[in-house]
Amino acid sequence: MLRLLLGTDWTANRDEILCRISRDVAARKGGRILLVPELISHETERRLCAAAGDTASRYAEVLSFTRLARRVSDEVGGAMDCLDAGGRVVAMAAAAGQLTSKLKAYAAVETRPEFLTGLIDAVDEFKRCCISSEDLLNAARSTEGSFSQKLEELALLMETYDTICARGKRDPRDQETQLLEQLEICDFGERHRFYIDGFPDFTRQHLAILEHLIRVAPEVTVSLNCGSPNSSLLAFEKAGSTAAEILKRARAAGVEVRIEIVNPVEKALRPVCETLFQGPISEGEAAGCLRAIRAGSPYQECMAAAGRIMELVRNGCRYRDITLVCTDMGVYRPLTELVFHRFGIPVYMAGTEDILQKSVVTTVLNGLEASLSGFEQRAVLRYLRSALSPLEPDLCDQVENYAIIWAIRGQKWTTQWVNHPEGLSVQWTEGAERRLKLLEDARQRAIAPLNRLRGAFQSAKTLREQVLGLYVFLEDIRLEQRLNRMAGGMDAS
């Protein structure tokens, strides 16, 4: 039997699943398996133990699809030894090497690392969607031209890659295919009751496994965050289509289905959650726990966030107690770093990041580009705007304005500035002279280390001499001392 637990409050759905498993544990009914995504499996184990008590592990266990594959393999035998990321690249390179004489569309890029990585990503997607090399060949036959040739070569690469993997360690994406094969030849599904929670949707591989479990298990309970199958609300559209797909497969298999609606917990934010993505949130909606602000650009949003953070800090809140969540780190990250740096707000960016985007590395790379490009204007300004710039933000703005007004580039960065800070046809005053002196001092402070770095690289004859020149530059701009001050300021916050 299949039970579909549908509800617009995902926390209520989760609590209902844990409550049902807890009742089974209290009644000493074993063989309960809760399937959740890998990312939340540890947290779900903690919640299950808190809800069901110390004896929960005797009767129920929390698994992901990957851990379920290992669990079934332990019983059936034939556990799969899988390639790591590096091994997959090597295997794909070997496959491309074997097909050198047959590749035409991809002949020019067959050995490039980025191409091999892209091929592995494509194989991942094909296997998630249960698309085989034979399917790609059939698709190639139904099309024409270069697209047909590319599909045919992709099919050959995928087939050769799988052949190479079959001789040794397997591709990780084959684990779930093997899981389904092993489930079909053993009684693991018949001996367990399954609860499935936390998935907004499933891959084709997951759906095939789920369909088998629905057919053979005594009971399968699937929790989805939507009000009904094929929900029309955008916030629940994906889960709604998933519910409809599972319902269709269960009915086609002749399995009894019960749809149960989980009532949401009354919260102040519930009206906002139900209409999420249906349009802008009205100002004043969910007052008391939500403040809606409309801004014309991401920069204005970051300014509003910085203003709110400063307000909270003035009222006694600590920076470490404040979390900023962005929808697109690629867009918001540079704006956040710029705005928060100017407000003096220490910020820690969580998540996986490219080391080349780190402030220290970025400053060094920008400095190298500025000096080795012959002081091209954009490169120099990019260096001056970096997080560890030798100039204060306001002074950097003034230098940038002067550079744009007087088209400062090349050797103009290394010669004395004598022009009016505001351009032609402006009267000289004592204030203008003071500003010019301030700008000239800033130019010398910022450009002199870059000029010495340029000279060191021009005279260097070995890599060792280049590295020493770069080291002198880092000493010249007092990078270590500035980093220590920055770290001390963050610790104090």
Side-chain angles (χ1 to χ4, degrees):
M1 183 176 70
L2 170 66
R3 294 182 185 272
L4 278 178
L5 295 186
L6 307 181
T8 55
D9 184 348
W10 68 271
T11 58
N13 285 26
R14 179 198 64 197
D15 293 343
E16 178 64 23
I17 287 283
L18 295 177
C19 181
R20 295 189 181 198
I21 298 176
S22 298
R23 288 200 296 266
D24 292 341
V25 170
R28 298 186 178 183
K29 297 178 179 178
R32 269 53 180 173
I33 291 179
L34 173 56
L35 276 176
V36 296
E38 189 78 47
L39 289 175
I40 63 171
S41 58
H42 179 65
E43 179 63 24
T44 304
E45 284 179 323
R46 293 180 57 197
R47 291 185 179 276
L48 178 60
C49 290
D54 298 337
T55 60
S57 59
R58 297 182 187 176
Y59 306 100
E61 55 186 322
V62 178
L63 300 174
S64 62
F65 277 99
T66 303
R67 290 167 65 186
L68 177 63
R70 298 195 193 105
R71 177 84 159 73
V72 174
S73 294
D74 288 342
E75 287 199 9
V76 177
M80 183 180 293
D81 194 9
C82 296
L83 292 167
D84 58 13
R88 299 179 80 192
V89 173
V90 171
M92 186 60 74
Q98 291 183 17
L99 296 170
T100 299
S101 61
K102 298 182 179 179
L103 296 182
K104 296 180 181 178
Y106 297 122
V109 294
E110 66 178 42
T111 59
R112 292 185 181 179
E114 58 269 24
F115 173 68
L116 297 174
T117 304
L119 278 178
I120 292 169
D121 292 339
V123 169
D124 276 353
E125 195 64 28
F126 292 147
K127 292 189 175 183
R128 286 193 190 101
C129 298
C130 297
I131 297 174
S132 65
S133 56
E134 291 80 6
D135 295 328
L136 290 174
L137 281 175
N138 291 333
R141 296 187 187 102
S142 63
T143 58
E144 298 178 355
S146 61
F147 183 59
S148 174
Q149 186 172 5
K150 288 180 179 180
L151 285 176
E152 183 178 352
E153 291 182 11
L154 281 175
L156 291 173
L157 284 164
M158 186 174 175
E159 182 180 9
T160 307
Y161 172 76
D162 284 338
T163 302
I164 291 173
C165 291
R167 300 191 195 123
K169 294 185 177 182
R170 300 291 300 276
D171 185 86
R173 292 298 167 198
D174 292 332
Q175 274 188 311
E176 289 164 6
T177 301
Q178 185 189 52
L179 169 60
L180 179 58
E181 293 171 354
Q182 291 181 333
L183 285 172
E184 289 174 343
I185 61 173
C186 70
D187 63 347
F188 185 90
E190 289 89 332
R191 293 187 285 107
H192 293 83
R193 292 176 182 259
F194 294 87
Y195 296 85
I196 301 165
D197 184 39
F199 294 92
D201 61 352
F202 299 93
T203 67
R204 289 294 168 184
Q205 280 182 315
H206 291 165
L207 279 173
I209 295 168
L210 187 55
E211 182 177 356
H212 173 77
L213 294 178
I214 290 172
R215 290 174 181 268
V216 303
E219 184 173 294
V220 175
T221 301
V222 181
S223 169
L224 291 166
N225 186 207
C226 60
S228 62
N230 282 324
S231 175
S232 59
L233 296 175
L234 288 179
F236 310 110
E237 187 176 23
K238 182 177 289 187
S241 62
T242 302
E245 176 70 18
I246 293 173
L247 187 62
K248 175 183 175 183
R249 292 184 179 227
R251 286 175 174 168
V255 176
E256 180 186 357
V257 180
R258 293 184 185 177
I259 299 177
E260 303 177 18
I261 304 300
V262 180
N263 294 323
V265 177
E266 289 299 327
K267 298 178 182 177
L269 279 175
R270 190 164 74 87
V272 177
C273 294
E274 290 182 349
T275 58
L276 202 60
F277 309 122
Q278 300 293 326
I281 299 173
S282 303
E283 294 187 16
E285 193 171 357
C289 63
L290 177 68
R291 178 187 296 185
I293 299 174
R294 294 186 184 179
S297 67
Y299 177 79
Q300 292 175 342
E301 292 177 11
C302 292
M303 289 291 291
R308 176 59 177 160
I309 290 171
M310 296 302 296
E311 178 186 344
L312 291 171
V313 171
R314 284 193 295 268
N315 291 331
C317 191
R318 303 192 68 181
Y319 288 120
R320 66 183 61 183
D321 298 326
I322 301 171
T323 302
L324 179 69
V325 181
C326 303
T327 55
D328 186 346
M329 287 298 291
V331 173
Y332 286 94
R333 183 187 185 89
L335 295 174
T336 301
E337 290 180 340
L338 173 65
V339 171
F340 281 32
H341 176 64
R342 294 191 172 186
F343 273 80
I345 300 173
V347 58
Y348 167 74
M349 298 286 184
T352 303
E353 303 172 22
D354 185 354
I355 191 173
L356 297 179
Q357 303 302 318
K358 290 290 186 180
S359 57
V360 177
V361 180
T362 302
T363 299
V364 175
L365 291 178
N366 287 341
L368 281 169
E369 182 184 2
S371 61
L372 302 181
S373 67
F375 300 106
E376 194 272 332
Q377 187 185 85
R378 288 186 179 180
V380 175
L381 293 179
R382 193 179 301 117
Y383 165 69
L384 296 180
R385 287 195 298 266
S386 59
L388 292 168
S389 169
L391 303 181
E392 298 76 16
D394 291 340
L395 184 55
C396 181
D397 289 342
Q398 296 180 48
V399 169
E400 182 175 352
N401 290 336
Y402 188 92
I404 293 173
I405 290 173
W406 292 106
I408 302 298
R409 56 176 55 87
Q411 292 304 311
K412 289 184 179 181
W413 285 103
T414 62
T415 56
Q416 184 179 1
W417 289 352
V418 296
N419 294 323
H420 197 289
E422 297 180 14
L424 293 170
S425 71
V426 181
Q427 295 286 335
W428 279 98
T429 63
E430 291 184 4
E433 291 177 354
R434 285 195 298 270
R435 283 185 58 198
L436 179 60
K437 185 178 185 307
L438 182 67
L439 290 170
E440 172 61 16
D441 291 342
R443 179 197 69 79
Q444 294 180 14
R445 181 152 47 100
I447 301 302
L450 292 176
N451 202 25
R452 286 190 285 271
L453 175 63
R454 178 176 172 82
F457 266 70
Q458 286 178 338
S459 61
K461 297 180 180 179
T462 63
L463 177 61
R464 180 178 182 275
E465 292 176 352
Q466 290 182 338
V467 172
L468 287 174
L470 179 59
Y471 179 80
V472 171
F473 169 72
L474 300 182
E475 289 284 321
D476 217 359
I477 64 175
R478 300 175 64 84
L479 184 65
E480 182 180 358
Q481 292 86 335
R482 284 153 58 195
L483 282 172
N484 287 334
R485 285 198 300 271
M486 181 184 294
M490 289 184 173
D491 288 338
S493 303

